[in-house]
Coordinates of all heavy atoms in Angstrom, one line a residue:
R37 N -9.7 -8.2 7.0 CA -8.3 -8.8 7.0 C -7.4 -8.2 8.1 O -6.2 -8.5 8.1 CB -7.7 -8.9 5.7 CG -8.5 -9.7 4.7 CD -7.7 -10.2 3.5 NE -8.5 -11.0 2.6 CZ -8.6 -12.3 2.7 NH1 -7.9 -12.9 3.7 NH2 -9.3 -13.0 1.9
E38 N -8.0 -7.3 8.9 CA -7.2 -6.6 9.9 C -6.5 -7.6 10.8 O -5.3 -7.4 11.1 CB -8.0 -5.6 10.6 CG -8.6 -4.5 9.8 CD -10.0 -4.8 9.3 OE1 -10.4 -6.0 9.3 OE2 -10.8 -3.9 9.0
D39 N -7.3 -8.5 11.3 CA -6.7 -9.5 12.3 C -5.6 -10.3 11.7 O -4.6 -10.7 12.3 CB -7.8 -10.4 12.8 CG -8.8 -9.7 13.8 OD1 -8.5 -8.5 14.2 OD2 -9.9 -10.2 14.1
Q40 N -5.8 -10.7 10.4 CA -4.8 -11.5 9.7 C -3.5 -10.7 9.6 O -2.4 -11.2 9.8 CB -5.3 -11.9 8.3 CG -4.6 -13.0 7.7 CD -5.3 -13.5 6.4 OE1 -6.3 -12.9 6.0 NE2 -4.8 -14.6 5.8
K41 N -3.6 -9.4 9.2 CA -2.4 -8.5 9.1 C -1.7 -8.4 10.5 O -0.5 -8.5 10.6 CB -2.8 -7.2 8.6 CG -1.7 -6.1 8.5 CD -2.2 -4.8 8.1 CE -1.1 -3.8 8.0 NZ -0.2 -4.0 6.8
I42 N -2.5 -8.1 11.5 CA -1.9 -7.9 12.8 C -1.3 -9.2 13.3 O -0.2 -9.2 14.0 CB -3.0 -7.4 13.8 CG1 -3.3 -5.9 13.5 CG2 -2.5 -7.6 15.3 CD1 -4.4 -5.3 14.2
A43 N -1.8 -10.4 13.0 CA -1.2 -11.6 13.4 C 0.1 -11.8 12.7 O 1.1 -12.3 13.3 CB -2.1 -12.8 13.1
A44 N 0.2 -11.4 11.4 CA 1.5 -11.5 10.7 C 2.5 -10.6 11.3 O 3.7 -10.9 11.5 CB 1.2 -11.2 9.2
I45 N 2.1 -9.3 11.7 CA 3.1 -8.4 12.3 C 3.5 -8.9 13.6 O 4.7 -8.9 14.0 CB 2.4 -7.0 12.4 CG1 2.1 -6.4 11.0 CG2 3.4 -6.1 13.2 CD1 1.3 -5.1 11.1
T46 N 2.6 -9.4 14.4 CA 2.9 -9.9 15.8 C 3.8 -11.1 15.7 O 4.5 -11.4 16.7 CB 1.5 -10.2 16.5 OG1 0.7 -9.1 16.5 CG2 1.8 -10.6 17.9
A47 N 3.8 -11.9 14.6 CA 4.7 -13.0 14.5 C 6.2 -12.6 14.7 O 7.0 -13.4 15.0 CB 4.5 -13.7 13.2
H48 N 6.5 -11.3 14.4 CA 7.8 -10.8 14.6 C 8.0 -10.4 16.0 O 8.2 -9.2 16.3 CB 8.1 -9.6 13.6 CG 7.9 -10.0 12.2 ND1 8.9 -10.5 11.4 CD2 6.8 -9.9 11.4 CE1 8.5 -10.7 10.2 NE2 7.2 -10.3 10.1
R49 N 7.9 -11.3 16.9 CA 7.9 -11.0 18.4 C 9.1 -10.3 18.8 O 9.1 -9.5 19.8 CB 7.7 -12.3 19.2 CG 8.9 -13.3 19.2 CD 8.9 -14.2 20.3 NE 10.2 -15.0 20.4 CZ 11.2 -14.5 21.0 NH1 11.2 -13.3 21.6 NH2 12.4 -15.2 21.1
S50 N 10.3 -10.5 18.2 CA 11.5 -9.9 18.6 C 11.5 -8.4 18.4 O 12.4 -7.7 18.9 CB 12.7 -10.5 17.9 OG 12.7 -10.2 16.5
Q51 N 10.5 -7.9 17.6 CA 10.5 -6.5 17.3 C 9.5 -5.6 18.0 O 9.4 -4.4 17.7 CB 10.2 -6.4 15.8 CG 11.1 -7.2 14.9 CD 12.6 -6.9 15.1 OE1 13.0 -5.7 14.9 NE2 13.3 -7.8 15.6
H52 N 8.8 -6.2 19.0 CA 7.6 -5.5 19.6 C 7.7 -5.5 21.1 O 7.3 -6.4 21.8 CB 6.3 -6.2 19.2 CG 6.1 -6.2 17.7 ND1 6.1 -5.1 16.9 CD2 6.0 -7.2 16.8 CE1 6.0 -5.4 15.6 NE2 5.9 -6.7 15.6
P53 N 8.3 -4.4 21.6 CA 8.3 -4.3 23.1 C 7.0 -4.0 23.7 O 6.8 -4.2 24.9 CB 9.3 -3.1 23.3 CG 9.2 -2.3 22.1 CD 8.9 -3.3 21.0
D54 N 6.0 -3.4 22.9 CA 4.7 -3.1 23.4 C 3.7 -3.6 22.3 O 3.3 -2.8 21.4 CB 4.6 -1.6 23.6 CG 3.3 -1.2 24.3 OD1 2.3 -2.0 24.3 OD2 3.2 -0.1 24.9
V55 N 3.3 -4.8 22.4 CA 2.4 -5.4 21.4 C 1.1 -4.7 21.3 O 0.5 -4.5 20.2 CB 2.2 -6.9 21.6 CG1 1.2 -7.5 20.7 CG2 3.6 -7.7 21.5
D56 N 0.5 -4.4 22.5 CA -0.9 -3.8 22.5 C -0.8 -2.5 21.7 O -1.8 -2.2 21.0 CB -1.4 -3.6 23.9 CG -1.7 -5.0 24.6 OD1 -1.9 -6.0 23.8 OD2 -1.8 -5.0 25.8
R57 N 0.2 -1.7 22.0 CA 0.2 -0.3 21.4 C 0.4 -0.5 19.9 O -0.2 0.2 19.1 CB 1.4 0.5 22.0 CG 1.4 1.9 21.4 CD 2.5 2.7 22.1 NE 2.5 4.1 21.6 CZ 3.1 4.5 20.5 NH1 3.7 3.7 19.7 NH2 3.0 5.8 20.1
M58 N 1.3 -1.4 19.5 CA 1.5 -1.7 18.1 C 0.2 -2.0 17.4 O -0.1 -1.5 16.3 CB 2.5 -2.8 17.9 CG 2.8 -3.2 16.4 SD 1.6 -4.4 15.8 CE 2.1 -5.9 16.7
Q59 N -0.5 -3.0 17.9 CA -1.8 -3.4 17.3 C -2.8 -2.3 17.2 O -3.5 -2.1 16.2 CB -2.3 -4.6 18.1 CG -1.4 -5.8 18.0 CD -2.0 -7.0 18.8 OE1 -3.0 -6.9 19.5 NE2 -1.4 -8.2 18.6
T60 N -2.9 -1.4 18.2 CA -3.8 -0.3 18.2 C -3.4 0.7 17.1 O -4.3 1.2 16.3 CB -3.8 0.4 19.6 OG1 -4.3 -0.5 20.6 CG2 -4.7 1.6 19.5
R61 N -2.1 0.9 17.0 CA -1.6 1.9 16.0 C -1.9 1.4 14.6 O -2.2 2.1 13.7 CB -0.1 2.2 16.2 CG 0.2 3.0 17.5 CD -0.6 4.3 17.6 NE -0.2 5.2 16.5 CZ -1.1 6.0 15.9 NH1 -2.4 6.0 16.2 NH2 -0.7 6.8 14.9
V62 N -1.6 0.1 14.4 CA -1.8 -0.5 13.0 C -3.3 -0.4 12.6 O -3.6 0.0 11.5 CB -1.4 -2.0 13.0 CG1 -1.9 -2.7 11.7 CG2 0.1 -2.1 13.1
R63 N -4.2 -0.6 13.5 CA -5.6 -0.5 13.1 C -6.0 1.0 12.8 O -6.7 1.3 11.9 CB -6.5 -1.0 14.3 CG -6.5 -2.5 14.5 CD -7.4 -2.9 15.6 NE -7.2 -4.3 15.9 CZ -7.7 -5.4 15.2 NH1 -8.5 -5.1 14.2 NH2 -7.5 -6.6 15.6
A64 N -5.3 1.9 13.5 CA -5.6 3.3 13.3 C -5.0 3.7 11.9 O -5.6 4.5 11.2 CB -5.0 4.2 14.4
F65 N -3.8 3.2 11.6 CA -3.2 3.5 10.3 C -4.1 3.0 9.1 O -4.3 3.7 8.1 CB -1.9 2.8 10.1 CG -0.8 3.5 10.9 CD1 0.2 2.8 11.6 CD2 -0.7 4.9 11.0 CE1 1.2 3.4 12.3 CE2 0.3 5.5 11.8 CZ 1.3 4.8 12.4
L66 N -4.7 1.8 9.3 CA -5.5 1.2 8.3 C -6.8 2.1 8.1 O -7.2 2.3 6.9 CB -5.9 -0.2 8.6 CG -4.8 -1.3 8.6 CD1 -5.3 -2.6 9.1 CD2 -4.2 -1.4 7.2
Q67 N -7.4 2.5 9.2 CA -8.6 3.4 9.0 C -8.2 4.7 8.4 O -9.0 5.3 7.7 CB -9.2 3.5 10.4 CG -9.8 2.2 11.0 CD -10.3 2.3 12.4 OE1 -10.2 3.4 13.0 NE2 -10.7 1.2 12.9
D68 N -7.1 5.3 8.8 CA -6.6 6.6 8.2 C -6.4 6.4 6.7 O -6.8 7.3 5.9 CB -5.4 7.1 8.9 CG -5.0 8.4 8.4 OD1 -5.8 9.4 8.5 OD2 -3.8 8.6 7.9
N69 N -5.8 5.3 6.3 CA -5.6 5.0 4.8 C -7.0 5.0 4.1 O -7.1 5.6 3.0 CB -5.0 3.7 4.6 CG -3.5 3.6 5.0 OD1 -2.9 4.7 5.2 ND2 -3.0 2.4 5.2
A70 N -7.9 4.4 4.7 CA -9.3 4.3 4.1 C -9.9 5.7 4.0 O -10.5 6.0 2.9 CB -10.2 3.4 4.9
R71 N -9.7 6.5 5.0 CA -10.3 7.9 4.9 C -9.6 8.6 3.8 O -10.3 9.3 3.0 CB -10.1 8.6 6.2 CG -11.1 8.2 7.3 CD -11.1 9.1 8.5 NE -9.8 8.9 9.3 CZ -9.7 8.1 10.3 NH1 -10.7 7.3 10.6 NH2 -8.6 7.9 10.9
R72 N -8.3 8.6 3.7 CA -7.6 9.3 2.6 C -8.0 8.7 1.2 O -8.0 9.5 0.2 CB -6.1 9.1 2.7 CG -5.5 9.9 3.9 CD -4.0 10.2 3.7 NE -3.3 9.0 3.3 CZ -2.8 8.0 4.0 NH1 -3.1 8.0 5.3 NH2 -2.1 7.0 3.5
G73 N -8.3 7.5 1.2 CA -8.7 6.9 -0.1 C -10.2 7.1 -0.4 O -10.6 6.6 -1.5
G74 N -10.9 7.7 0.4 CA -12.3 8.0 0.2 C -13.3 6.8 0.4 O -14.4 6.8 -0.1
L75 N -12.8 5.8 1.2 CA -13.7 4.7 1.5 C -14.7 5.1 2.6 O -14.4 6.0 3.4 CB -12.8 3.5 2.0 CG -12.2 2.6 0.9 CD1 -11.2 3.4 0.0 CD2 -11.6 1.4 1.5
P76 N -15.8 4.4 2.7 CA -16.8 4.7 3.7 C -16.2 4.6 5.1 O -15.2 3.8 5.4 CB -17.9 3.6 3.5 CG -17.7 3.2 2.1 CD -16.2 3.3 1.8
E77 N -16.8 5.3 6.1 CA -16.3 5.3 7.4 C -16.4 3.9 8.0 O -17.3 3.1 7.7 CB -17.2 6.2 8.3 CG -16.7 6.4 9.7 CD -15.4 7.2 9.8 OE1 -15.2 8.0 8.8 OE2 -14.6 7.0 10.7
G78 N -15.4 3.5 8.7 CA -15.3 2.2 9.3 C -14.6 1.1 8.5 O -14.3 0.0 8.9
R79 N -14.1 1.5 7.3 CA -13.4 0.6 6.4 C -11.9 0.7 6.8 O -11.4 1.6 7.4 CB -13.6 0.9 5.0 CG -15.0 1.0 4.5 CD -15.8 -0.3 4.7 NE -15.4 -1.4 3.8 CZ -15.9 -2.6 3.8 NH1 -16.8 -2.9 4.7 NH2 -15.5 -3.5 2.9
S80 N -11.1 -0.3 6.3 CA -9.7 -0.3 6.4 C -9.1 -0.5 5.1 O -9.6 -1.1 4.2 CB -9.3 -1.5 7.3 OG -9.7 -1.4 8.6
A81 N -7.9 0.1 4.9 CA -7.2 0.1 3.6 C -5.7 0.1 3.8 O -5.2 0.6 4.8 CB -7.6 1.2 2.7
E82 N -5.0 -0.5 2.8 CA -3.6 -0.3 2.6 C -3.4 0.6 1.4 O -4.1 0.5 0.4 CB -2.9 -1.7 2.5 CG -2.9 -2.5 3.8 CD -2.2 -3.8 3.6 OE1 -2.2 -4.4 2.5 OE2 -1.7 -4.3 4.7
A83 N -2.3 1.4 1.5 CA -2.1 2.4 0.4 C -0.8 2.2 -0.3 O 0.2 1.7 0.2 CB -2.0 3.8 1.1

């Protein structure tokens, strides 16, 4: 559901001066959440 989340965030176009960086950072945050939560490598999570 990463793409769905990013599409929802990107819908707030007035808030994103650098869309590509935002999207990259969001994916990294999701992967970091998964690591902290003990999920297998390559998974994404919200905390």
Side-chain angles (χ1 to χ4, degrees):
R37 296 198 178 273
E38 298 93 339
D39 290 348
Q40 199 171 4
K41 178 183 180 73
I42 287 173
I45 297 172
T46 305
H48 300 273
R49 67 159 190 84
S50 65
Q51 306 306 296
H52 302 302
D54 188 341
V55 172
D56 290 342
R57 182 175 186 277
M58 176 275 291
Q59 294 181 347
T60 298
R61 294 302 300 143
V62 168
R63 291 184 189 277
F65 286 142
L66 292 175
Q67 292 173 2
D68 184 57
N69 290 341
R71 282 191 289 271
R72 291 202 314 280
L75 276 65
E77 190 67 28
R79 308 298 288 182
S80 295
E82 289 179 333

